[in-house]
Amino acid sequence: MISANLSAIFYLISGILFILALRGLSSPDTSRQGNYFGIAGMIIAIVVTFFSVGNFSTSLVYVVIFLLIGGAIGAFIAFRIPMTAMPELVAGFHSLVGLAAVFVAIAAFLNPEAFNLGVVGGIKLASLIEMSIGAAVGAITFSGSIIAFLKLRGIMSGSPITFTGQHFLNLILGIGIFVLIYYLCVSQSANIFWSLIMISFLVGVLLIIPIGGADMPVVISMLNSYSGWAAAGIGFTLENTALIITGALVGSSGAILSYIMCKAMNRSFVSVILGGFGADSSSDNTKEKKDQKPVKSGNAEDAAFLMKNASSVIIVPGYGMAVAQAQHALREMVDKLKKNDIKVTYAIHPVAGRMPGHMNVLLAEANVPYDEVFELEDINNNFANSDVAFVIGANDVTNPVAKTDPKSPIFGMPVLDVEKCKSVLFVKRSLSPGYAGIDNELFYKDNTLMLFADAKKMTEDIVKNLD
Amino acid sequence: MEIDPFIFRLSIFILSIFIGYYVVWSVTPSLHTPLMSVTNAISSVIIVGAIIAALAGSSESVFDISSIFGFLAIVLAAINIFGGFLVTQRMLQMYKKKKDKKK
């Protein structure tokens, strides 16, 4: 058994290692090293906990066994998961953090002596508040992430589920949580503690169901943030520095990502939370404006011809590329183009895909060097002096309406200036609107050639035609 | 008058939020997905609480109602720790520069 002071210092060290882990992500070169820092921090925290409790009886054997069971499951998932499924994986992992926080809070509530928080029925007031906050946030994270997981996985429809009085109900339940925490502090009653957790589960579900599929990047980031705050709440209860530092880091990380995502969609955080976006709001304006405008459509041969004669091509990938698993075919196409001395770069909109950085991972998986991949603000000026823009699976993020029509729901959203290219190749299954439910003006421009097909099949056909 | 230790923990918490703020803004956007998976892995340091709860049982009764929740939380957090770090590692291995393009 080691002293509380010594273990606190080790927890501080593991907290610092976690900071370095995030710091490493500032560039791909240092990121792998950063990940090792994170692993080291985790090992230190776990080993120190074993020594600080100092119980080396049968319990420890079971702890190690359960640790290895979980570890084996986790490792299995990590190696098997396809990169296109990263958003659901992350949502699933968030739910586990949330549930773990709930379980730890329950354990602390049932056996406060083990955590040095007082006795059953006489838990210290501050600890009680901290653990109820940890449990409530953890429960919201859990059930919210489950819903996000189901939506991303396609088990549940991605369209928003709304009903009248929804926000009012959420408000009541939110207030209810605080009232319950108050009564819990007064009475120390176990029943109130259970009700608190149940209501929090319900709030998590109600919070996420009205949010549509296109807002998923915000939701995932937000849940990421919640999982951090839940960890911090538990960290305060356990008086554990490593947990407090980590909770704060993760909480602010998720909050920043949510902010970046909201900004990239020109939506306020509140309006995302209130939900209902992308349901049916704009079907009427589609009808009145665009009745059968002419669209130029082409085939793989035309596309290959256009690109062969170009000197620079910019590729704009989107969620459709992920769905069709077209990233490897795309890479093949780019290799062919490069052999013909055509300059190829990739342009990525911050909300392309279903989570922050989703497209970058998919391109990296297909062996695309990361220094050919550019963010919106770095590449947007290059469209004007490029020959071909190849839009594959993206839609709303290229819609020029965002710049021209103040009535459009996406007005003001930063978009890629694809239409400034000499010609635009747009791979899409049909003319149907994207998630925002609005027509893309780009389809009807003179310099746009629509390629109606599955993204992967079309790309493969183009590859054949490039020979 | 003595300062309540809670205030120190609160200070650590607030300062860590600031550290998090600056560190995360410096993360390159192309690594935002690994950022999420690694934050997910490190937030599972909550396993510390789970271990304390699980070890609270005695040799005669390893499993009481409180330690059972501890054990369950250990499994959940361990899935996250191993899964989170390994999947991050897998992703980061894929990020390559132009030079080592040839496999």
Side-chain angles (χ1 to χ4, degrees):
Chain A
M1 191 149 169
I2 58 175
S3 81
N5 288 336
L6 188 59
S7 52
I9 288 180
F10 278 113
Y11 285 134
L12 176 64
I13 293 173
S14 80
I16 291 169
L17 286 168
F18 291 150
I19 295 174
L20 294 175
L22 299 194
R23 180 77 190 109
L25 291 171
S26 56
S27 119
D29 298 327
T30 54
S31 59
R32 276 160 284 228
Q33 190 194 17
N35 202 36
Y36 292 125
F37 282 135
I39 296 171
M42 189 60 74
I43 293 171
I44 291 176
I46 292 175
V47 172
V48 167
T49 310
F50 286 152
F51 282 102
S52 70
V53 178
N55 175 357
F56 296 105
S57 66
T58 347
S59 294
L60 185 66
V61 179
Y62 281 102
V63 167
V64 174
I65 291 174
F66 280 88
L67 193 73
L68 292 178
I69 292 174
I73 300 172
F76 180 76
I77 297 172
F79 286 120
R80 291 295 301 274
I81 192 90
M83 283 301 142
T84 41
M86 277 317 290
E88 25 310 18
L89 178 76
V90 169
F93 278 169
H94 287 156
S95 74
L96 298 182
V97 179
L99 194 58
V102 174
F103 285 170
V104 172
I106 293 175
F109 184 78
L110 295 174
N111 186 4
E113 288 102 331
F115 295 89
N116 209 6
L117 306 174
V119 292
V120 178
I123 301 173
K124 283 187 278 182
L125 180 64
S127 310
L128 203 54
I129 298 175
E130 289 154 6
M131 79 172 71
S132 5
I133 293 175
V137 180
I140 293 174
T141 311
F142 169 69
S143 55
S145 302
I146 293 287
I147 300 294
F149 175 83
L150 294 176
K151 284 194 172 194
L152 288 164
R153 191 85 234 187
I155 298 169
M156 208 172 132
S157 153
S159 56
I161 299 169
T162 46
F163 52 88
T164 38
Q166 190 166 26
H167 303 316
F168 184 68
L169 180 65
N170 286 348
L171 184 71
I172 296 288
L173 290 175
I175 295 170
I177 288 180
F178 286 101
V179 173
L180 282 176
I181 292 180
Y182 173 77
Y183 279 108
L184 179 66
C185 294
V186 176
S187 69
Q188 303 249 358
S189 141
N191 284 337
I192 294 185
F193 188 67
W194 298 122
S195 331
L196 174 70
I197 292 175
M198 288 306 146
I199 290 193
S200 305
F201 280 140
L202 187 61
V203 170
V205 173
L206 289 173
L207 264 182
I208 307 301
I209 52 167
I211 304 181
D215 284 336
M216 274 303 154
V218 183
V219 171
I220 298 197
S221 320
M222 189 179 83
L223 291 166
N224 186 235
S225 182
Y226 287 179
S227 69
W229 304 131
I234 301 296
F236 274 103
T237 320
L238 308 182
E239 311 185 341
N240 184 305
T241 336
L243 253 176
I244 295 177
I245 296 178
T246 315
L249 289 177
V250 177
S252 52
S253 161
I256 291 174
L257 289 176
S258 321
Y259 170 80
I260 296 176
M261 293 301 118
C262 283
K263 219 178 138 213
M265 294 193 288
N266 192 38
R267 312 239 288 122
S268 76
F269 189 67
V270 176
S271 73
V272 172
I273 298 301
L274 294 181
F277 192 60
D280 48 3
S281 50
S282 46
S283 51
D284 45 333
N285 79 22
T286 321
K287 266 180 224 139
E288 65 184 59
K289 272 199 295 189
K290 316 244 155 59
D291 275 317
Q292 300 285 319
K293 272 203 179 184
V295 172
K296 276 200 287 185
S297 81
N299 56 26
E301 217 175 305
D302 305 330
F305 178 78
L306 259 173
M307 282 198 272
K308 247 190 217 166
N309 292 305
S311 61
S312 58
V313 173
I314 299 181
I315 302 200
V316 182
Y319 183 60
M321 180 190 81
V323 175
Q325 303 259 21
Q327 65 271 31
H328 297 283
L330 184 67
R331 167 74 207 278
E332 233 179 284
M333 185 187 95
V334 171
D335 282 348
K336 288 254 163 78
L337 291 176
K338 278 192 198 152
K339 258 185 218 146
N340 293 330
D341 282 327
I342 298 165
K343 186 173 168 268
V344 186
T345 44
Y346 299 80
I348 296 190
H349 191 277
V351 291
R354 284 293 174 271
M355 74 185 292
H358 191 185
M359 290 300 125
N360 301 79
V361 172
L362 293 181
L363 292 178
E365 188 201 10
N367 275 319
V368 172
Y370 63 81
D371 38 7
E372 288 175 10
V373 182
F374 296 94
E375 302 299 318
L376 172 97
E377 60 268 34
D378 298 328
I379 199 167
N380 227 3
N381 292 330
N382 298 4
F383 281 107
N385 33 35
S386 292
D387 298 318
V388 176
F390 186 74
V391 183
I392 175 165
N395 187 357
D396 293 331
V397 298
T398 62
N399 196 342
V401 153
K403 288 176 286 192
T404 53
D405 181 6
K407 276 182 292 181
S408 164
I410 60 167
F411 180 71
M413 171 171 128
V415 288
L416 292 157
D417 297 333
V418 174
E419 77 282 0
K420 289 188 182 151
C421 261
K422 289 204 188 77
S423 43
V424 178
L425 294 168
F426 209 113
V427 185
K428 207 170 177 310
R429 279 167 191 265
S430 68
L431 274 183
S432 63
Y435 253 109
I438 45 171
D439 219 11
N440 194 340
E441 268 187 8
L442 199 56
F443 299 166
Y444 313 102
K445 297 250 178 195
D446 289 336
N447 58 347
T448 304
L449 188 66
M450 298 298 293
L451 307 168
F452 292 112
D454 172 75
K456 187 176 178 187
K457 186 152 183 313
M458 175 54 75
T459 315
E460 283 167 350
D461 287 349
I462 295 175
V463 172
K464 278 182 215 140
N465 278 293
L466 278 174
D467 289 325
Chain B
M1 217 181 105
E2 242 182 83
I3 301 171
D4 190 315
F6 171 79
I7 302 300
F8 290 119
R9 285 192 282 277
L10 189 67
S11 320
I12 294 172
F13 179 64
I14 307 270
L15 291 175
S16 302
I17 291 178
F18 277 91
I19 294 174
Y21 180 85
Y22 288 108
V23 169
V24 171
W25 271 117
S26 73
V27 171
T28 160
S30 66
L31 290 175
H32 275 162
T33 298
L35 171 69
M36 301 200 84
S37 61
V38 84
T39 50
N40 198 68
I42 65 173
S43 58
S44 302
V45 73
I46 204 158
I47 198 169
V48 165
I51 294 173
I52 297 175
L55 288 179
S58 58
S59 319
E60 299 88 58
S61 62
V62 174
F63 298 102
D64 60 26
I65 181 150
S66 149
S67 73
I68 286 173
F69 277 110
F71 282 114
L72 290 176
I74 287 178
V75 176
L76 297 178
I79 294 177
N80 248 325
I81 293 172
F82 283 75
F85 281 126
L86 288 172
V87 87
T88 309
Q89 192 68 18
R90 213 182 118 197
M91 276 191 272
L92 295 177
Q93 299 293 5
M94 300 185 315
Y95 281 81
K96 292 185 193 87
K97 261 199 181 150
K98 213 175 281 175
K99 280 166 218 155
D100 32 286
K101 198 171 59 183
K102 291 190 185 93
K103 292 178 240 177

